């Protein structure tokens, strides 16, 4: 066992002495030491209950003959960080989380690792660390929040963002806005729709890195506590059987995750995260793999914002095992999972309990996957659009650019009534280097939807959009403006053409004109004084590569 390095032999007497101070007894030194990376914090709704779940994880570890050691990571709530400087820190926090777990595990010689997580950057950050360390590991996701309820409909936090646009347009009163605000988030858990947090949790389960039904069981439920306890039992079994996490992180497991992602129409952010995790695992996953799979997988589950149902409804319909049962002809079935069962065995026990939520191939929401990769003269290295949140996957739009060099400028123009039908809102210098930090931009997209403009305008950015975004929003444009990508050369009034069916994003400007513009282009000054963000900007790779940090 790895922990023998800190507890075996005469020379480790000082180490054992220090461990005894934590409550370790004589008989514990012969047991596997299990680290629990817990992202509990009192400021993030998806994490406020993890101090309760960890009790059950520890109980399972002890009952299985292991010794649990809990430590903590940071966690950023994207919703609270949204729309201001705080969002610059969200994506970079993923790397800090991965590094902090590596530090704790390597310094203290754990034999196995439980990742107790929830929310957008925390889950992928933990998985990056686990892949890097390659110990016996598994994931316990904290589960979704129960949906709010307002005037007969289920709602979540995205409805609040969109309600601001409706209020600004005079469609609802301030009292109605306040009522939506108070009802949208009724308790702990990751936001109730299919946004990045829940999408990532589902993909973790689809890869076989968490126990069946973990990702969709509600945060506050007896089922979630039982799964946490079972995870504690299972991690000790994985250690005893020497089953390290890369045993499960195969290329085929990543393909299964992408198939499920496309069938759900999940968050575009999952592309960044799966690419980053795959690189830590030594798997050669590329942006083109997402588009290849999206061509053959229909969008089957209309989960909000790509439909009327919430994640709790997907759980009641049979959860991830039921969805994978529907997709069995498109996935790898004989992959082992941390549960000890193969995918084939798991889905054989599953049942599809609602044909409207988990649709058949003869009744898809869309005939192709819910995320599409676009390329063209405006995005030579690729861009991403969530087609699950579009009215049609044959979406075509031509419009004239209105260019903004920050999210704030664009939001002010949208809410100030300066955006007209036929406009393409271009938001640049918000990429991983230019932001820095590649902020999610839910406020502009929600304002567009709330003001009823989503059918008549499009948004294009080298930044990224929230998993809660709906409508024609294209993100991850590569190369980004900060490195001189074509998006840096766009001017007000330029014609931009979007053709989802042909997977094209083009700037309809003569090549000679663009060459002249490039001669005059100069990068803008950094939009931060933070030494942390400036370091991040110097090291971060493009969105095409998952925004991982380069070794220099």
């Amino acid at each position: 066992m790895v922990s023998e390095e800190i507890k075996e032999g005469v020379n480790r007497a000082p180490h054992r002495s220090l461990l005894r101070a934590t409550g370790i007894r004589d008989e514990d030194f012969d047991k596997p030491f299990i680290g629990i990376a817990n992202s509990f914090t009192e400021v993030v709704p998806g994490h406020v209950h993890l101090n309760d779940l960890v009790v059950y994880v520890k109980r399972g570890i002890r009952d299985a003959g292991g010794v649990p050691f809990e430590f903590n990571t940071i966690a950023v709530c994207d919703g609270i960080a949204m729309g201001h400087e705080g969002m610059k820190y969200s994506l970079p926090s993923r790397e800090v989380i991965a590094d902090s777990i590596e530090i704790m595990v390597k310094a203290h010689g754990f034999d196995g690792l439980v990742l107790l997580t929830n929310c957008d950057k925390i889950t992928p950050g933990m998985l990056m660390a686990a892949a890097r360390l390659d110990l016996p590991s598994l994931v316990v996701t904290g589960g979704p929040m129960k949906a709010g309820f307002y005037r007969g409909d289920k709602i979540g936090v995205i409805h609040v963002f969109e309600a601001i646009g409706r209020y600004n347009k005079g469609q609802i009163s301030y009292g109605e806005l306040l009522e939506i605000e108070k009802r949208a988030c009724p308790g702990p858990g990751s936001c109730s729709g299919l946004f990045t947090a829940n999408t990532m949790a589902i993909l973790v389960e689809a890869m076989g890195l968490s126990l069946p039904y973990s990702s969709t069981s509600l945060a506050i439920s007896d089922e979630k506590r039982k799964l946490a306890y079972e995870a504690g039992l299972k991690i000790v079994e994985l250690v005893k059987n020497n089953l390290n996490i890369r045993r499960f992180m195969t290329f085929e497991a990543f393909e299964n995750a992408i198939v499920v992602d496309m069938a759900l129409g999940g968050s575009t952010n999952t592309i960044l995260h799966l690419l980053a995790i795959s690189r830590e695992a030594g798997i050669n996953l590329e942006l083109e793999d997402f588009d290849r799979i999206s061509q053959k997988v229909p969008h089957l589950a209309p989960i909000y914002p790509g439909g009327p149902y919430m994640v709790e409804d997907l759980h009641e319909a049979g959860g991830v095992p039921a969805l994978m049962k529907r997709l069995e002809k498109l996935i790898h079935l004989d992959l082992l999972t941390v549960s000890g069962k193969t995918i084939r065995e798991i889905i054989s026990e599953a049942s599809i309990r609602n044909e409207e939520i988990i649709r058949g191939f003869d009744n898809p929401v869309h005939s192709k996957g819910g995320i599409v990769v676009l390329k063209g003269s405006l995005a030579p290295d690729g861009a991403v659009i969530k087609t699950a949140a579009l009215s049609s996957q044959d979406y075509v739009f031509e419009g004239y650019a209105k260019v903004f060099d920050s999210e704030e400028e664009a939001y002010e123009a949208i809410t100030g009534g300066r955006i007209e039908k036929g406009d393409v809102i271009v938001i640049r210098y918000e990429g991983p280097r230019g932001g820095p930090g590649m902020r999610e931009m839910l406020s502009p997209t929600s304002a567009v939807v709330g003001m009823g403009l989503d059918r008549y305008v499009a948004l294009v950015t080298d930044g990224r959009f929230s998993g809660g975004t709906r409508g024609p929003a294209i993100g991850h444009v590569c190369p980004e403006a900060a490195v001189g990508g074509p998006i840096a050369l766009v001017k007000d009034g330029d014609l931009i053409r979007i053709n989802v069916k042909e997977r094209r994003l083009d700037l309809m400007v003569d090549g000679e004109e663009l060459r002249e513009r490039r001669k005059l282009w100069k990068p803008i000054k950094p939009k931060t004084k933070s030494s942390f963000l400036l370091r991040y900007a110097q090291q971060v790779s493009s969105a095409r590569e998952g925004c991982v940090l380069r070794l220099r």
Side-chain angles (χ1 to χ4, degrees):
M1 291 191 293
V2 176
S3 61
E4 291 175 357
E5 295 181 3
I6 65 167
K7 64 185 182 183
E8 291 290 324
V10 172
N11 291 337
R12 294 298 184 250
H15 303 64
R16 292 192 297 274
S17 180
L18 289 166
L19 287 165
R20 291 179 192 279
T22 70
I24 298 300
R25 302 164 298 179
D26 285 345
E27 59 267 29
D28 292 330
F29 287 108
D30 293 327
K31 300 174 182 178
F33 282 9
I34 309 297
I36 305 172
N38 185 1
S39 56
F40 164 73
T41 170
E42 293 184 340
V43 71
V44 183
H47 299 243
V48 293
H49 64 302
L50 297 186
N51 61 338
D52 174 58
L53 283 184
V54 76
V55 172
Y56 295 88
V57 176
K58 291 177 183 177
R59 188 178 299 166
I61 291 170
R62 292 191 185 101
D63 286 353
V67 183
F69 293 90
E70 179 187 359
F71 61 92
N72 291 94
T73 70
I74 61 171
V76 171
C77 177
D78 280 11
I80 296 173
M82 194 75 66
H84 60 91
E85 187 182 18
M87 181 48 75
K88 292 178 183 288
Y89 292 86
S90 176
L91 185 57
S93 76
R94 186 188 71 180
E95 317 306 309
V96 175
I97 290 164
D99 291 347
S100 67
I101 292 173
E102 178 186 357
I103 290 167
M104 289 296 292
V105 171
K106 285 294 189 181
H108 300 105
F110 297 130
D111 299 304
L113 185 61
V114 175
L115 308 171
L116 182 54
T117 177
N118 229 10
C119 297
D120 300 27
K121 311 309 169 297
I122 299 90
T123 298
M126 288 194 176
L127 282 171
M128 289 167 68
R132 191 184 301 170
L133 294 161
D134 195 27
L135 289 172
S137 309
L138 57 73
V139 182
V140 178
T141 47
M145 180 187 297
K146 189 171 178 59
F149 209 68
Y150 177 70
R151 298 187 179 181
D153 294 317
K154 289 183 176 182
I155 63 169
V157 69
I158 307 304
H159 292 86
V160 187
F161 277 94
E162 293 177 357
I164 296 171
R166 293 165 57 202
Y167 170 75
N168 287 334
K169 201 173 180 181
Q171 294 179 340
I172 61 173
S173 67
Y174 180 75
E176 290 172 305
L177 173 61
L178 185 62
E179 188 176 356
I180 294 169
E181 171 192 328
K182 290 181 176 180
R183 290 176 174 267
C185 301
S190 49
C191 297
S192 52
L194 191 64
F195 316 135
T196 308
N198 287 324
T199 306
M200 278 306 306
I202 287 169
L203 300 194
V204 168
E205 183 180 333
M207 290 181 71
L209 306 180
S210 63
L211 299 182
Y213 304 100
S214 291
S215 61
T216 55
S217 54
L218 283 170
I220 302 299
S221 65
D222 288 338
E223 183 179 8
K224 178 61 70 180
R225 295 187 181 101
K226 290 175 183 175
L227 286 165
Y229 174 76
E230 290 171 11
L233 298 175
K234 191 60 63 175
I235 186 59
V236 177
E237 181 181 318
L238 292 172
V239 170
K240 291 178 178 178
N241 291 329
N242 295 312
L243 287 171
N244 293 4
I245 196 166
R246 288 199 192 183
R247 168 67 176 78
F248 309 100
M249 281 185 170
T250 62
F251 183 80
E252 291 75 17
F254 279 97
E255 283 198 317
N256 280 358
I258 298 170
V259 169
V260 169
D261 201 5
M262 296 302 168
L264 284 170
S267 166
T268 54
N269 289 314
T270 57
I271 294 180
L272 293 179
H273 299 323
L274 289 179
L275 287 172
I277 297 162
S278 70
R279 276 153 177 73
E280 295 286 3
I283 300 296
N284 187 29
L285 190 69
E286 300 293 342
L287 183 63
E288 286 73 20
D289 290 313
F290 292 84
D291 199 54
R292 169 178 58 82
I293 293 172
S294 76
Q295 299 263 22
K296 66 178 183 179
V297 179
H299 174 208
L300 298 179
I303 310 300
Y304 187 82
Y309 301 104
M310 295 295 188
V311 174
E312 62 188 44
D313 301 313
L314 176 62
H315 188 68
E316 292 301 316
V320 175
L323 179 62
M324 295 183 79
K325 187 183 188 77
R326 180 72 83 197
L327 297 165
E328 62 180 324
K329 294 181 180 179
L330 298 173
I331 61 176
H332 305 280
L333 297 174
D334 294 317
L335 303 183
L336 186 65
T337 73
V338 296
S339 70
K341 298 179 180 179
T342 64
I343 297 291
R344 186 187 301 277
E345 290 170 325
I346 290 170
I347 68 173
S348 69
E349 300 169 359
S351 60
I352 299 168
R353 297 193 288 268
N354 190 315
E355 296 281 342
E356 279 301 308
I357 297 174
I358 302 176
R359 296 190 181 189
F361 283 72
D362 58 346
N363 182 35
V365 183
H366 297 110
S367 61
K368 299 286 180 68
I371 300 174
V372 166
V373 176
L374 308 176
K375 289 188 176 181
S377 60
L378 188 53
D381 290 344
V384 179
I385 184 170
K386 182 173 179 173
T387 54
L390 285 175
S391 57
S392 170
Q393 286 190 317
D394 292 334
Y395 180 81
V396 176
F397 189 89
E398 282 193 4
Y400 295 97
K402 283 192 176 171
V403 184
F404 306 94
D405 287 345
S406 72
E407 174 188 358
E408 289 82 0
E409 293 175 17
Y411 183 71
E412 184 179 337
I414 296 165
T415 56
R418 302 202 305 274
I419 300 300
E420 302 171 344
K421 293 180 180 180
D423 285 343
V424 177
I425 304 165
V426 177
I427 309 174
R428 64 189 179 191
Y429 294 102
E430 289 289 2
R433 288 184 63 177
M438 203 181 185
R439 289 190 286 180
E440 281 187 359
M441 289 180 282
L442 180 58
S443 296
T445 56
S446 295
V448 165
V449 172
M451 297 178 75
L453 289 170
D454 51 304
R455 293 177 57 194
Y456 308 106
V457 303
L459 294 95
V460 176
T461 183
D462 55 6
R464 58 196 178 91
F465 293 115
S466 164
T469 293
R470 56 191 175 114
I474 298 169
H476 306 201
V477 171
C478 294
E480 63 174 295
V483 300
I487 193 172
L489 308 179
V490 182
K491 291 185 176 181
D492 285 346
D494 285 350
L495 182 65
I496 293 174
R497 179 180 295 162
I498 303 162
N499 190 320
V500 171
K501 187 174 183 179
E502 295 182 2
R503 283 159 160 71
R504 298 287 304 181
L505 175 61
D506 290 298
L507 176 61
M508 310 304 291
V509 175
D510 179 76
E512 182 60 34
E513 168 65 17
L514 290 179
R515 283 189 286 273
E516 290 301 314
R517 291 184 190 181
R518 184 166 296 284
K519 292 177 183 177
L520 300 173
W521 175 78
K522 294 180 181 179
I524 66 172
K525 294 180 180 180
K527 295 192 289 185
T528 183
K529 294 182 180 179
S530 163
S531 60
F532 168 70
L533 291 176
L534 289 171
R535 291 198 309 273
Y536 179 81
Q538 290 171 354
Q539 294 183 307
V540 70
S541 67
S542 74
R544 177 181 174 80
E545 299 172 39
C547 298
V548 295
L549 299 185
R550 300 185 184 95
L551 296 175
R552 291 187 182 272

